[in-house]
Amino acid sequence: MATDGTAAFFMKQFFLTMLGVFAGLVAFFIVLPIVALLFFAAAAGASKPSTPAHTVLELDLREGLTDQQPTNPFAAFGGSGLSVIHIVDTLAQAEKDDSVKVLLVRAPEGGMTPAAADEVRQAINRFRASGKTVIAHSQGFMPVGAVVSSYMVAASADQLWMQNTASFQAVGLSSDSLFLGRAFQKYGVKPEFEQRYEYKNAVNEYTQSDYTGPHREAMTAWMTSIYDSALANVARDRKATPEALKATIEAGPYSAEQALSLKLVDKIGQVEEAEAAAKAKAGKDAKIIKFGDYAALQGARNGSGKSAIAIVGGEGAITTGRGQSASPFGSGSDIRSDDTARAIYDAIEDKAVKAIVFRVSSPGGSPEASEQILAAVRAARAAGKPVVVSMGAYAASGGYWISSEADWIVAQPSTLTGSIGVFGGKFVLADALGRFGLDMRGLSVGGDYADAFSPVQGFDQGQRAAFAASMDRTYEEFVARVSTGRKLPVERVREIARGRVWTGAQAKGLGLVDELGGLNEAIIKARKLANIPTSESVRFKRFPTPQSPWEALASAFGASGQAADAMISVGRVMGDPAAQAMLNRVEAERLRSRGAVVLADQPAF
C-alpha cells in the first residue's frame, strides 16, 4: 500500500506528465502549423522579385501603433503589426526607392497618441520632401481623445479626402480620469499612500473624488501645449494661420461638405476614389502595396559602413528581472531591467558601435529597475560611447530616471516627460471584506515593519514614518540624478520636479530636454557626438537581439521540458542557411508590429 507521500509523488508525476502531453499537443496542433505557415509565407515572399515599378504604398493607421517593434516574433498576431519606429524606418527606405511614387494614408477616426502622431507626421514630411506625393483618406474624425493629433497627421498630406457621410469633429483635445476615492470610502477600502509631491497625480485616482488644484493645473497645461502644437503644425501644413484655424475648428463639428468649404479637407469621396487618384498619380499599371508587405520586401533599415550606431529599445512599464510574457503571442511590452541593461552592455562591448541611441517610451515603474538601467547608461558614457535618448510617447517618472544622465535628450513636442516624483502605499481591505462576511487576519514575526504592507490594518506611527522616509530618500535620489545629468542646481530641479508632468516642448524650456524631434534627429546627434563624418555611411545595430521563434516558443512551454526540447529540435532541423534566411525574413516582418509601483504616470487619452 502506498504511503501518503508516495501517492502525492505519483500524483505530482501524473499531473506533470499530463501537462507535458497537453503542451506537446498544443505545440504540435497549434504552434507548429503556425510556424509552418510562416515558413512557407517566407518562401513565397522570397520569390517576389521586387516592388512593382509604380507603387502606391498604403499606410493604415486605424488599428493603432506601438512605439517599437517587440522582441517577441509572434507579437504581431495581437495587433496591427505597426510601430512608430517601423514607420520611420520604412518611409526612410521608401524615400529613396524610385518604384514608390505615392503614399496613401488611412487616417484613424479616433485619437492617436500625440507623440506618435508627431513622429509619423515628421516621417511623412520627409517623404514629401523627397518629391513624392502623399494622399490621405478619412472616414471621419470623432471626438475621442487626442483626435486633433489624428487630424494633424492626415493634414500633412498633399491631399486630404473625406468620405461623404463622415463628420469632422476634431474640435479639441480631451482626457478623462476615473476617481475611486468616494467608492473606496463607501465600501470600506482605505488607501494609504505617500506621494512626493503635490503634482504626483497618479495616486489621486485612489484618494480623491475630483481633480486637486495642482492636478488640474498640470493636466490643463500639458493638454494646452499638445493642442497648440498640433494646431500650429496643421496651420503650417495647410498654409493657414494658427489663430484662424483654431477659430474654425472650435466652431465645429462639421459635415464633410462643410469641412470642404472651410478648407479643412481637400476632396470628398470614398476610399476607392482616393485609391484611384493615388494610382493615377503613381503612373500606368500602378499597384497598391500594403505597408507591412513592402517592409517585408525591404527588410530592416540596417545601413552600411564600418562604424555602427546602436539602437537600444525600451517600451512599457519598468520592472526588475528578465524575459517576456508567459504567452508567446502576447503583444504587451515592458522594460525588464536585466534585459535592457544587458542590451546596453552588449552595445558597449561591440567594437563597431560608436554611439548609442536609447529609445525610451515608458510611463515609469520600479526605481530599483530604473537605477540598474541608468547604471548601464553611465557605463556606456564612461566607455567613451555617447548616449542619446529618443523619447517616444512617454518618458515620465522612471522613464525620465533612466534618461536623465544621457549626453543628449531628444523628445517630441508632445512627449509626456518629467514627473520627477514618487508615490507608493497600500490598500487596507479588512473592513471592506468584513462587510461580506470575510474576516482577514494577519500574523507576523520580527520587527515592527514586517507587516507594514499587510492589507489587514493601516500603517502604525513607526511604519508610516519609516515608509515616508523611504519615499523622501527615493525622491532626493531622483532629484540628484536629474541635477547631475542635466547640469542643473539641485534647488532648480526641486522647483520643476514635485511629480509634475511636462510636454517635450515645455521640458525643453526648462532644460529637461535638449532638442525637439524623433529618432531621426537622435541618430543625427549620435553621429555628431561620435565624430562620425557626415560623408561616411553608418550601420544600425539593434539591441536587445530579437528572440527567434524557437526561443519564444521554448520560453512559453518552459513548464514542459519535452515541449521545449521539441521546439528547439525543430529549430535545429530547419537551421540550415537557406531555411534560416527565410525564417529571419519572417521574423523581421513580425518584429515590426507592435513593492508598490512608485515611479509611474500615464494619462489616458
Side-chain angles (χ1 to χ4, degrees):
M1 181 179 294
T3 65
D4 288 345
T6 305
F9 172 79
F10 282 115
M11 286 299 293
K12 181 178 179 180
Q13 291 301 308
F14 172 76
F15 284 119
L16 286 175
T17 301
M18 291 301 296
L19 180 61
V21 171
F22 176 75
L25 289 172
V26 171
F28 186 81
F29 289 107
I30 298 177
V31 175
L32 291 182
I34 290 174
V35 172
L37 286 173
L38 295 179
F39 181 84
F40 290 118
S47 67
K48 296 178 183 177
S50 61
T51 307
H54 298 275
T55 291
V56 175
L57 188 58
E58 183 185 59
L59 174 59
D60 193 337
L61 299 173
R62 294 174 298 172
E63 293 186 21
L65 302 173
T66 58
D67 184 72
Q68 301 161 35
Q69 306 95 305
T71 56
N72 179 352
F74 299 108
F77 290 112
S80 69
L82 288 177
S83 72
V84 174
I85 301 306
H86 183 195
I87 292 171
V88 170
D89 282 349
T90 303
L91 285 182
Q93 295 180 88
E95 289 173 30
K96 300 176 177 63
D97 187 344
D98 291 337
S99 65
V100 177
K101 309 295 184 182
V102 178
L103 176 67
L104 175 64
V105 179
R106 301 295 304 275
E109 296 171 59
M112 286 181 69
T113 303
D118 275 336
E119 193 139 7
V120 171
R121 172 186 171 272
Q122 291 157 8
I124 288 173
N125 281 344
R126 289 192 292 271
F127 182 88
R128 287 184 63 188
S130 69
K132 301 186 179 186
T133 300
V134 179
I135 294 175
H137 185 274
S138 169
Q139 292 179 290
F141 296 105
M142 306 302 291
V144 179
V147 66
V148 68
S149 296
S150 299
Y151 177 55
M152 178 187 72
V153 171
S156 67
D158 294 279
Q159 291 181 12
L160 173 52
W161 289 62
M162 178 175 277
Q163 188 170 307
N164 60 314
T165 55
S167 296
F168 185 97
Q169 301 181 51
V171 297
L173 172 67
S174 66
S175 180
D176 300 312
S177 302
L178 179 65
F179 295 98
L180 302 173
R182 226 162 34 90
F184 282 170
Q185 186 177 27
K186 178 178 180 180
Y187 292 105
V189 177
K190 185 180 181 184
E192 293 208 348
F193 284 85
E194 293 279 338
Q195 64 192 102
R196 301 292 184 273
Y197 278 100
E198 69 274 18
Y199 292 103
K200 196 66 179 177
N201 300 321
V203 71
N204 290 357
E205 64 184 81
Y206 309 130
T207 61
Q208 305 295 322
S209 60
D210 198 354
Y211 297 104
T212 62
H215 192 173
R216 187 180 298 277
E217 174 194 352
M219 284 194 65
T220 302
W222 63 251
M223 289 175 67
T224 300
S225 176
I226 289 171
Y227 181 52
D228 289 347
S229 176
L231 289 182
N233 287 333
V234 173
R236 188 179 303 113
D237 290 339
R238 295 195 65 80
K239 298 178 174 56
T241 65
E243 296 78 14
L245 177 68
K246 183 176 182 179
T248 300
I249 280 180
E250 292 183 357
Y254 302 111
S255 66
E257 289 79 7
Q258 290 171 321
L260 178 64
S261 67
L262 292 168
K263 299 183 179 179
L264 296 173
V265 301
D266 300 301
K267 292 181 179 293
I268 295 176
Q270 299 295 327
V271 66
E272 290 78 10
E273 296 175 83
E275 289 173 344
K279 290 167 73 173
K281 183 70 177 178
K284 185 178 179 182
D285 299 324
K287 304 289 184 184
I288 295 177
I289 304 297
K290 291 182 179 179
F291 201 85
D293 293 339
Y294 176 79
L297 285 171
Q298 296 301 307
R301 181 175 63 143
N302 292 324
S304 61
K306 290 171 57 179
S307 298
I309 291 176
I311 299 177
V312 177
E315 179 176 9
I318 303 170
T319 63
T320 58
R322 63 169 65 92
Q324 301 270 342
S325 161
S327 168
F329 305 107
S331 58
S333 297
D334 54 15
I335 299 175
R336 298 294 182 96
S337 59
D338 283 13
D339 293 338
T340 304
R342 182 70 260 167
I344 295 172
Y345 286 120
D346 286 345
I348 294 171
E349 294 165 6
D350 190 323
K351 293 182 179 179
V353 170
K354 306 303 179 185
I356 297 171
V357 172
F358 186 15
R359 176 71 175 201
V360 177
S361 189
S362 172
S366 161
E368 290 74 27
S370 300
E371 180 65 11
Q372 181 183 355
I373 295 167
L374 181 60
V377 171
R378 293 191 194 109
R381 297 184 65 192
K385 299 194 176 185
V387 179
V388 177
V389 164
S390 170
M391 293 179 169
Y394 310 96
S397 289
Y400 195 78
W401 185 304
I402 65 178
S403 306
S404 59
E405 296 187 25
D407 292 275
W408 195 257
I409 297 178
V410 181
Q412 292 295 349
S414 52
T415 296
L416 296 181
T417 189
S419 191
I420 303 163
V422 57
F423 82 92
K426 66 176 181 177
F427 296 101
V428 181
L429 303 175
D431 288 348
L433 294 174
R435 300 182 185 192
F436 298 94
L438 300 172
D439 297 314
M440 178 180 282
R441 302 289 185 264
L443 291 171
S444 68
V445 295
D448 177 57
Y449 203 70
D451 64 349
F453 287 91
S454 167
V456 174
Q457 73 279 319
F459 294 116
D460 64 29
Q461 186 174 358
Q463 291 170 343
R464 172 71 75 175
F467 181 56
S470 73
M471 292 290 98
D472 290 335
R473 184 170 57 254
T474 302
Y475 180 72
E476 290 303 322
E477 288 170 347
F478 200 166
V479 167
R481 280 145 186 75
V482 176
S483 174
T484 299
R486 306 309 301 155
K487 298 179 174 59
L488 293 170
V490 169
E491 288 307 316
R492 175 56 178 158
V493 176
R494 288 200 181 102
E495 289 175 15
I496 59 180
R498 309 189 72 81
R500 181 159 180 172
V501 175
W502 307 96
T503 64
Q506 294 169 327
K508 185 175 184 298
L510 296 170
L512 298 177
V513 163
D514 296 298
E515 181 181 356
L516 297 180
L519 182 67
N520 190 64
E521 287 71 25
I523 289 172
I524 291 170
K525 185 63 180 182
R527 286 184 62 122
K528 186 177 295 185
L529 291 176
N531 297 315
I532 302 173
T534 55
S535 59
E536 182 181 323
S537 297
V538 68
R539 285 183 291 143
F540 302 118
K541 302 190 77 171
R542 290 167 175 80
F543 299 86
T545 304
Q547 282 187 316
S548 73
W550 316 113
E551 290 170 330
L553 293 172
S555 174
F557 292 102
S560 168
Q562 292 173 323
D565 289 343
M567 293 300 95
I568 294 169
S569 296
V570 173
R572 288 172 181 164
V573 169
M574 298 178 68
D576 66 274
Q580 193 61 49
M582 283 185 279
L583 282 173
N584 288 340
R585 191 185 189 104
V586 172
E587 186 177 347
E589 163 61 11
R590 296 307 172 195
L591 284 170
R592 291 180 179 81
S593 72
R594 2 183 315 177
V597 175
V598 295
L599 293 174
D601 272 308
Q602 185 167 353
F605 290 101

